[in-house]
Amino acid sequence: MEDDEEAQLSAASPLREPLLRRSAPNNTSQVAIVGAKLCPIESLDYEIIENDFFKPEWDWRSQGKFEMFQYISMKWTLCFLVGLFAGLVGFFNNLAVENIAGYKFVITSNMMLARSFGRAFGVFAVSNFALTLFSSLITDFISPTAAGSGIPEVKAYLNGVDAPGIFSFRTLLVKIIGNIAAVSSSLYVGKAGPMVHTGACIAALLGQGGSKKYGLTWRWLRFFKNDKDRRDLVTCGSASGISAAFRSPVGGVLFALEEMASWWRSALLWRTFFTTAVVAIVLRALIDVCKSGKCGLFGKGGLIMFDVTSEDSAYHISDVPVVLILGVIGGILGSFYNFVLDKVLRLYNLINEKGRAHKIILACSISIFTSCLLFGLPWFASCRPCPPDASEACPTIGRSGNYKKYQCPPGHYNDLASLFFNTNDDAIKNLFSKNTDDEFHHFSILLFFITSYFLGILSYGIVAPVGLFVPVIVAGASYGRYVGILLGSHTSLNHGLFAVLGSASLLGGSMRMTVSLCVILLELTNNLLLLPLIMLVLLLSKTVADTFNGNIYDIIMKRKGFPYLEAHEEPYMRQLTVSDVVRGPLQFFNGIEKVCDIVHVLQTTGHNGFPVIDEAVSDAPVLFGLVLRSHLIVLLRKKAFLHTPVATGIRAFRHFSADDFAKRGSGKSQRIEDIEISEEEMEMFMDLHPFANTSPYTVVETMSLAKALKLFRETGLRHLLVVPKTSCRSPVVGILTRHDFMPEHILGLHPSLKKSKWKRLRFRVPEFLKLFKAFQISSGGVLV
Amino acid sequence: MEDDEEAQLSAASPLREPLLRRSAPNNTSQVAIVGAKLCPIESLDYEIIENDFFKPEWDWRSQGKFEMFQYISMKWTLCFLVGLFAGLVGFFNNLAVENIAGYKFVITSNMMLARSFGRAFGVFAVSNFALTLFSSLITDFISPTAAGSGIPEVKAYLNGVDAPGIFSFRTLLVKIIGNIAAVSSSLYVGKAGPMVHTGACIAALLGQGGSKKYGLTWRWLRFFKNDKDRRDLVTCGSASGISAAFRSPVGGVLFALEEMASWWRSALLWRTFFTTAVVAIVLRALIDVCKSGKCGLFGKGGLIMFDVTSEDSAYHISDVPVVLILGVIGGILGSFYNFVLDKVLRLYNLINEKGRAHKIILACSISIFTSCLLFGLPWFASCRPCPPDASEACPTIGRSGNYKKYQCPPGHYNDLASLFFNTNDDAIKNLFSKNTDDEFHHFSILLFFITSYFLGILSYGIVAPVGLFVPVIVAGASYGRYVGILLGSHTSLNHGLFAVLGSASLLGGSMRMTVSLCVILLELTNNLLLLPLIMLVLLLSKTVADTFNGNIYDIIMKRKGFPYLEAHEEPYMRQLTVSDVVRGPLQFFNGIEKVCDIVHVLQTTGHNGFPVIDEAVSDAPVLFGLVLRSHLIVLLRKKAFLHTPVATGIRAFRHFSADDFAKRGSGKSQRIEDIEISEEEMEMFMDLHPFANTSPYTVVETMSLAKALKLFRETGLRHLLVVPKTSCRSPVVGILTRHDFMPEHILGLHPSLKKSKWKRLRFRVPEFLKLFKAFQISSGGVLV
């Protein structure tokens, strides 16, 4: 093979030349769309750095029990604070939405009662427009990073991809306020995703602590200035977000485990659980406070559990087939949701790229379109007479309630208005409620399903902090109800239960989670008896949907360009060795290197890790270790230079404290361009030995990519050194980074793999039939 | 240092000499107590083996989509079958226990009604004795491996420790039948642990498939003949066990995740969830069948959910302090439980070692002792008049029910007999039941608590398949009730709720799980509103108990001698390099090796992996790969010998199929002693190149042990090669295995570490006070 010859050649060439083959740039980009902004991204590094300098000083674990006590108590205090703040934010979010949206509906409903429909529409549309405009303006001007749900960004962070600003304070503020405005503006958007990002933000900010002026905080927080502890905190934060959004503590833990985290330990389970327990208790206490009626319109609406408990929610084995069909169709609808959303996002990206004005106009047009639909569609529904045995006033006069009067004559209600002309939370509650089988006409439910399904898709991509959970639940609930109505007397299940199962199926088909969604739905509906049915629906809809496309968050993450590292390898990675993908030119340093050489390399390359190679006394050079760009920059900034090229040993540490090398918070790293070095200094030397990681993980060049990926992913590396098979050549032949494992990069290098049979199994319909045939033939053959 | 000098010396010596230093044997033992039997144990190997032979043939993933379809459908089918069988076994277990124990209580109760107390005691004690004797006899004679709960064995397996026979068919049978007999014999033992082992057994047996005669099954199962897929199946099996025991599907998944599994992927979550969903549906269907009354005494008792739902289970923030105290004391009680159990197990081990008769006598004495207590203690309780508004017949005439008449006059009941003279499930139900605050006298509850607490401890170590969950729940429930009674009117919570929280606290203090116990208890009581309280209690009791000692299963595992590999390193591992612990003599082979040399090495050492080293054309030898003992034995058995020492290349594969190298089921590996090789063959050669793993993971000798542990643990290795820092010495200096990471081994090599400050943080009371003082001083210092 040509490649191997080149490798041999380069191995024989003198060491100062780039050690590696092709110098083509990496095929995957180092930027991604974060929120609504194009940002450079970086990998995080979870490797334990071992060298003479860090060992005694950084390794606080060796400093005795008091440090360990500090660390442990700080860890738990931070978790407590994350839970506390996430609970407070979750409550505040609900309070604000319930009051803003509530007063809007009260005012317009009163106008409707006075039969001034035009004015009602005016007020409704204008307030929605203003809220959406406000939300998109603050997002775009203050923190474009806050746009969208934030779950893809947090998930990528937990996978080891860092983007500047995702956890900044302004992102947090915009996320909270923008989401309140967007949800209050009657758009079909959710609050769960933004709450996850909010929780993660709170956690990251708390872990960073204040600035240096708060001595106390800062000293105790020194243990958290590394990627690993920050990752653990962010995991707890994302769990607390979900538990605050749905008041679902166990569901939050499971969500973080199933969907968000790429690395998980049992200890983390316990800490995450503690965080969500705090959230649950904070919410409970605040709701107790609100029971006295001091919270405005809050109380009946948001944050309550949907009550599907009823005697008739019993079910039997005979109900299972119906549930199976519901799950299968829900899976198809869910994967279609993902498919369309992907197309819409691609279109929106094109619009958003054109500039600020386009983004804002897009958001506002969606708002106007939504207002028109919400106000206009109920007119198509015929008025229904109030049921004589209604459990509540009919028609409802206040804000919430099942029976909206809308344009109907007295004693009648408009069933479509009960769904459209309401907050999403209330619409879900209406759909989930028991003993309301006759409340809705099948045409109304169908119309509502179609509208909410597509409005949810259209509303997601706008420049505002908006989530996906609630719209999917709304659409799913109406789908489930519709199935219930269609089946009529053929089933004994009530329609509220159908709505819950419908939501489960659409969520499963779109988000592809199982255990966490199941528990979230159980905690929402407070009915454990539904468990086996919900499990079944989720499993089916996920299985069906998985044959068509991927998880919605993975699709969005791919569209945004995050280099997400999957836990499992692509089949073709077993056919390639690491030397097939590693590419150069490999830059390295000698143990004692000239300052100008280091500066030159840092300025001309974007690499973040460099092997340090010692020309040993014997003939063969030796790999001493790996030095990081960030550490080199610290050394340059501190001007730790030598006049003569001799090893410094212990003297080198004099100028440094451990904190100099501590990893700064997200996106705060220093750049080489900011450092000024004089001509004279350029000619001096630096001893890299004390600062290089002396025991980097290595793999042999003949290892398959799949096996190297396992090491890279499981131990959370940023750089993986590739060493040659035969020991007396150059001691290192390349460095693998996250991008080298990206399928796009590999398929770019080896285009022939694209057409190969070694691709992930994802059936399209004709393939499935072919396989089924093959299966028949095979088993037939064996049986004969 | 002396060590380094030795290493230098050995490196300079000719290659055929052992490469490494000390030849002292490994300090940790290669045997462990499995069940009640001393067995040799082996490590499992999850490394991807890459060599010329396995690559094309074994790697079925490269064989196209049909194989992949086979694999995936087989995977799900197996999960379905595991769930189905676990559900059936769980149901059968309950049915049998309810009927055997039920008829026993019916007969004795009838005798009590006829006031022939002596005969009643006779029947009671003899039937208990016979059942215990039967259980311990079949355990000891047929499968001693089945003794105990089995959770430690399964947990060790999932951590990579294999013991022969833990998943054999006879173990399965004994586990099921022995557990039914033991539980029915009124011992204070549980069924959850044995169910977990049963589930794991079913999974492992299904994965192994039938013998070769069932062609179809066998061919499709070929993908599962490796440690990794077997591990996944066993994980699903253990989850299905818990979900069958408690009818708690989500709790089962979380239990497997939190307590059992050492490696976890999100894909596994989904599959485990599917398995437990099947269990839940099977149980539901069977219970539907039993509703018609065809299942004897089954129906009112076991497998029902404990009903703690009631209007008055509401609680407020003001109830929290009480709950906190409950949690703290529960934590102390739980850790004391572990402490005493450990001592008792040590004693029992001494007794059991003395031979079969001693084991049986021990089990029978416990049974007689238990019978005496259960029958005798209720006589100390005073008879209480039946409440006028009792919701059920008082005194109860049948088997279950809250009001046992026992020796009391008509119109009265014996509250202690309602607890003692009942199955454990019914006792729990009585304790958990609502609106029974006045049913029990505080003296009765205290007596019951003390008795059940210590009977649970005494009953665990006998030679029978018995679990720990139920006795802990019983003791915890009575503890909680007692606290409730003591508080009297100072709290608004009802005593049933106190019982639930008491169980939670004792479980948390003993088993140290959080999320999974929380969900199991929620699913048992079917009351989601308890969630925040249960969370709080569990977190507190676990935290408190963790300061004293470890998790009960870890204690038992340590007592049994399993080399369990923790995910986190001990602090002193950061101070040691891998060359400080790796020890020799290192045995290796040349690429082409003489048969007699191989046979000699295999016979004289117990190693399971050997480096293959090529004397290259250049001066330095090259590490070619790692060859496994099991593969060498296959090669020897197949007599793949060469007359001349030349490389065979592709010809070597002619004699072999992939299945020859497939890993056999648990404990079925072949031994070198079974292979006969003639004198002539001994002089021939073997080419090891095609069969050695060419890309083993390696670490440099200067890496810290902590960092090497991370690689070893995360990627699930059995052998980790240590390579020298300088490249031109011998290419490998040692092999790290599981035992090299065991604290006992390391502390044996470096006794000075024992007294060092670098030990895990576990407070004893005086230390805690010292720390608290240090904390005060420090924060004071900062604040001033």
Side-chain angles (χ1 to χ4, degrees), chain A residues 46-48 50 55 59 61-66 68-69 72 216 220 249-250 253-254 257-258 264 266 269-270 273-274 276-277 280-281 284-285 288 305 315-317 514-515 518-519 522-523 526-529 531-532 535-536 539 542-543 546 569 571 574-575 577 619-625 693-700 702-704 706-708 710-711 714-715 725-728 757-761 763 767 771 774-775 778 782-783, chain B residues 46-48 50 55 59 61-66 68-69 72 216 220 249-250 253-254 257-258 264 266 269-270 273-274 276-277 280-281 284-285 288 305 315-317 514-515 518-519 522-523 526-529 531-532 535-536 539 542-543 546 569 571 574-575 577 619-625 693-700 702-704 706-708 710-711 714-715 725-728 757-761 763 767 771 774-775 778 782-783:
Chain A
Y46 303 117
E47 188 172 352
I48 301 167
E50 294 183 331
K55 210 161 200 173
D59 190 359
R61 284 176 187 81
S62 66
Q63 292 186 352
K65 289 198 173 172
F66 180 65
M68 204 173 260
F69 174 73
I72 291 172
L216 179 73
W220 283 60
V250 179
V253 173
L254 288 172
L257 164 64
E258 189 173 5
W264 191 267
S266 189
L269 192 70
W270 183 29
F273 189 49
F274 172 71
T276 59
I281 288 164
R284 173 110 210 166
D288 268 10
M305 297 191 173
Y315 58 90
H316 295 281
I317 293 297
T514 51
V515 192
C518 179
V519 173
L522 287 179
E523 291 185 316
N526 194 26
N527 189 350
L528 267 171
L529 295 172
L531 179 68
M535 283 174 109
L536 206 65
L539 282 168
K542 177 178 157 69
T543 312
D546 270 345
E569 73 274 2
R574 299 184 152 243
Q575 314 298 323
T577 65
D619 50 349
V622 170
L623 172 67
F624 180 81
N693 177 9
T694 55
S695 59
Y697 289 118
T698 57
V699 293
V700 68
T702 55
M703 188 182 282
S704 77
K707 197 170 173 179
K710 192 172 177 192
L711 168 60
E714 299 295 334
T715 51
K725 183 87 185 172
T726 53
S727 57
C728 279
K757 56 184 178 176
W758 300 310
K759 289 183 90 172
R760 191 97 56 82
L761 195 67
F763 298 117
E767 283 179 355
L771 260 171
F775 169 70
S778 142
V782 174
L783 288 170
Chain B
Y46 303 118
E47 188 173 350
I48 301 166
E50 295 184 330
K55 209 159 198 172
D59 190 2
R61 283 175 186 81
S62 65
Q63 293 186 350
K65 288 198 173 171
F66 180 64
M68 203 172 261
F69 173 74
I72 291 173
L216 178 72
W220 281 61
V250 179
V253 172
L254 288 173
L257 164 64
E258 189 173 4
W264 191 266
S266 176
L269 193 72
W270 184 29
F273 188 51
F274 172 70
T276 60
I281 289 164
R284 173 110 209 165
D288 267 11
M305 295 190 174
Y315 57 90
H316 295 280
I317 293 297
T514 50
V515 193
C518 180
V519 174
L522 287 179
E523 290 185 317
N526 194 26
N527 189 351
L528 267 172
L529 294 173
L531 180 68
M535 283 173 109
L536 206 64
L539 282 168
K542 177 177 158 71
T543 311
D546 270 346
E569 72 275 1
R574 298 181 155 244
Q575 314 298 323
T577 65
D619 52 348
V622 170
L623 171 67
F624 181 80
N693 177 9
T694 55
S695 59
Y697 290 118
T698 58
V699 293
V700 69
T702 56
M703 188 182 282
S704 78
K707 196 170 174 180
K710 191 172 179 195
L711 168 60
E714 299 294 333
T715 51
K725 182 87 184 174
T726 53
S727 58
C728 277
K757 55 183 180 177
W758 300 311
K759 289 182 91 173
R760 190 98 54 82
L761 193 68
F763 298 117
E767 283 180 353
L771 259 172
F775 168 70
S778 143
V782 174
L783 287 171

Side-chain angles (χ1 to χ4, degrees), chain A residues 111-112 115-124 375 379:
Chain A
M111 290 175 177
M112 300 287 287
R115 305 198 76 75
S116 48
F117 300 125
R119 259 180 68 205
F121 175 70
V123 170
F124 184 67
F375 199 89
W379 297 86

Side-chain angles (χ1 to χ4, degrees), chain A residues 258-528:
Chain A
E258 189 173 5
E259 182 62 29
M260 304 302 285
S262 294
W263 290 278
W264 191 267
R265 313 186 308 284
S266 189
L268 203 55
L269 192 70
W270 183 29
R271 229 181 310 152
T272 315
F273 189 49
F274 172 71
T275 317
T276 59
V278 173
V279 173
I281 288 164
V282 168
L283 286 179
R284 173 110 210 166
L286 290 173
I287 290 169
D288 268 10
V289 169
C290 269
K291 276 199 179 135
S292 53
K294 289 175 200 149
C295 305
L297 292 175
F298 177 85
K300 287 291 277 180
L303 262 192
I304 65 146
M305 297 191 173
F306 303 111
D307 177 28
V308 208
T309 328
S310 63
E311 292 310 306
D312 47 309
S313 76
Y315 58 90
H316 295 281
I317 293 297
S318 58
D319 295 319
V320 168
V322 173
V323 170
L324 297 184
I325 296 168
L326 196 83
V328 171
I329 300 177
I332 295 170
L333 286 174
S335 62
F336 187 67
Y337 196 94
N338 294 2
F339 175 78
V340 179
L341 187 64
D342 186 38
K343 301 287 171 219
V344 169
L345 283 182
R346 187 185 294 184
L347 178 70
Y348 281 13
N349 278 351
L350 293 178
I351 297 173
N352 287 344
E353 272 169 16
K354 291 194 180 158
R356 187 161 275 169
H358 283 82
K359 291 184 195 176
I360 310 277
I361 291 171
L362 177 65
C364 292
S365 338
I366 298 289
S367 171
I368 295 169
F369 182 60
T370 307
S371 295
C372 292
L373 283 183
L374 297 194
F375 199 89
L377 287 177
W379 297 86
F380 289 99
S382 50
C383 291
R384 293 162 74 85
C386 284
D389 56 346
S391 54
E392 50 182 312
C394 174
T396 330
I397 308 295
R399 185 184 59 83
S400 67
N402 284 357
Y403 303 103
K404 287 265 173 184
K405 187 167 171 292
Y406 216 65
Q407 91 289 16
C408 291
H412 287 67
Y413 71 96
N414 184 324
D415 59 347
L416 209 42
S418 304
L419 299 173
F420 273 129
F421 208 61
N422 233 334
T423 61
N424 289 332
D425 281 12
D426 286 338
I428 296 173
K429 211 170 51 152
N430 282 354
L431 289 167
F432 278 11
S433 61
K434 64 187 172 182
N435 298 331
T436 52
D437 290 7
D438 299 321
E439 188 186 328
F440 300 103
H441 191 259
H442 67 88
F443 167 75
S444 305
I445 291 283
L446 182 63
L447 190 62
F448 181 69
F449 165 62
I450 294 171
T451 316
S452 58
Y453 188 86
F454 287 103
L455 271 186
I457 293 172
L458 289 177
S459 309
Y460 178 71
I462 65 168
V463 182
V466 295
L468 268 174
F469 256 95
V470 171
V472 173
I473 294 179
V474 173
S478 50
Y479 151 66
R481 274 242 165 194
Y482 187 65
V483 172
I485 292 172
L486 281 189
L487 287 170
S489 57
H490 294 293
T491 171
S492 60
L493 303 178
N494 82 60
H495 295 178
L497 182 53
F498 266 111
V500 174
L501 295 178
S503 308
S505 73
L506 205 57
L507 282 170
S510 173
M511 320 243 159
R512 312 291 162 83
M513 289 170 272
T514 51
V515 192
S516 50
L517 282 178
C518 179
V519 173
I520 290 173
L521 281 170
L522 287 179
E523 291 185 316
L524 271 179
T525 56
N526 194 26
N527 189 350
L528 267 171

Side-chain angles (χ1 to χ4, degrees), chain B residues 113 392-405 413 418:
Chain B
L113 277 180
E392 49 182 311
C394 173
T396 328
I397 309 294
R399 183 184 59 82
S400 67
N402 285 357
Y403 304 103
K404 286 264 172 183
K405 187 169 171 292
Y413 70 98
S418 303

Side-chain angles (χ1 to χ4, degrees), chain B residues 369-622:
Chain B
F369 181 61
T370 306
S371 295
C372 292
L373 284 182
L374 297 195
F375 199 88
L377 288 176
W379 296 85
F380 291 98
S382 51
C383 290
R384 295 162 72 87
C386 284
D389 57 344
S391 55
E392 49 182 311
C394 173
T396 328
I397 309 294
R399 183 184 59 82
S400 67
N402 285 357
Y403 304 103
K404 286 264 172 183
K405 187 169 171 292
Y406 216 65
Q407 92 289 15
C408 291
H412 287 68
Y413 70 98
N414 185 323
D415 59 347
L416 209 43
S418 303
L419 299 173
F420 275 128
F421 209 62
N422 233 333
T423 61
N424 290 332
D425 282 10
D426 285 336
I428 296 174
K429 210 169 52 150
N430 282 353
L431 289 168
F432 279 11
S433 61
K434 63 185 173 184
N435 298 331
T436 52
D437 291 6
D438 298 322
E439 188 186 328
F440 300 102
H441 192 258
H442 66 88
F443 167 77
S444 305
I445 291 283
L446 182 63
L447 190 63
F448 182 69
F449 164 61
I450 295 171
T451 317
S452 58
Y453 188 87
F454 288 102
L455 270 186
I457 292 173
L458 289 176
S459 310
Y460 178 72
I462 65 169
V463 182
V466 295
L468 267 174
F469 256 97
V470 170
V472 173
I473 294 179
V474 172
S478 50
Y479 150 67
R481 273 240 164 196
Y482 186 65
V483 172
I485 291 172
L486 281 188
L487 287 170
S489 58
H490 296 292
T491 169
S492 61
L493 303 178
N494 82 60
H495 295 179
L497 181 53
F498 266 110
V500 174
L501 295 177
S503 309
S505 72
L506 205 58
L507 281 171
S510 172
M511 318 244 160
R512 313 291 162 82
M513 290 170 272
T514 50
V515 193
S516 50
L517 282 178
C518 180
V519 174
I520 289 173
L521 280 170
L522 287 179
E523 290 185 317
L524 270 178
T525 57
N526 194 26
N527 189 351
L528 267 172
L529 294 173
L530 300 180
L531 180 68
L533 287 187
I534 295 182
M535 283 173 109
L536 206 64
V537 164
L538 281 171
L539 282 168
L540 254 181
S541 64
K542 177 177 158 71
T543 311
V544 169
D546 270 346
T547 58
F548 295 108
N549 53 24
N551 172 336
I552 183 92
Y553 294 118
D554 290 347
I555 290 176
I556 298 175
M557 212 151 45
K558 205 172 172 189
R559 175 84 33 239
K560 282 170 173 279
F562 285 116
Y564 188 85
L565 204 61
E566 297 284 348
H568 51 86
E569 72 275 1
E570 296 286 328
Y572 53 73
M573 289 184 185
R574 298 181 155 244
Q575 314 298 323
L576 298 171
T577 65
V578 291
S579 57
D580 290 331
V581 297
V582 77
R583 34 186 36 244
L586 177 67
Q587 295 288 354
F588 66 92
F589 294 121
N590 289 317
I592 294 171
E593 187 64 271
K594 264 186 112 170
V595 172
C596 60
D597 288 337
I598 294 176
V599 171
H600 176 72
V601 168
L602 290 184
Q603 278 170 345
T604 53
T605 70
H607 302 323
N608 284 293
F610 304 91
V612 175
I613 288 174
D614 263 343
E615 303 275 353
V617 275
S618 68
D619 52 348
V622 170

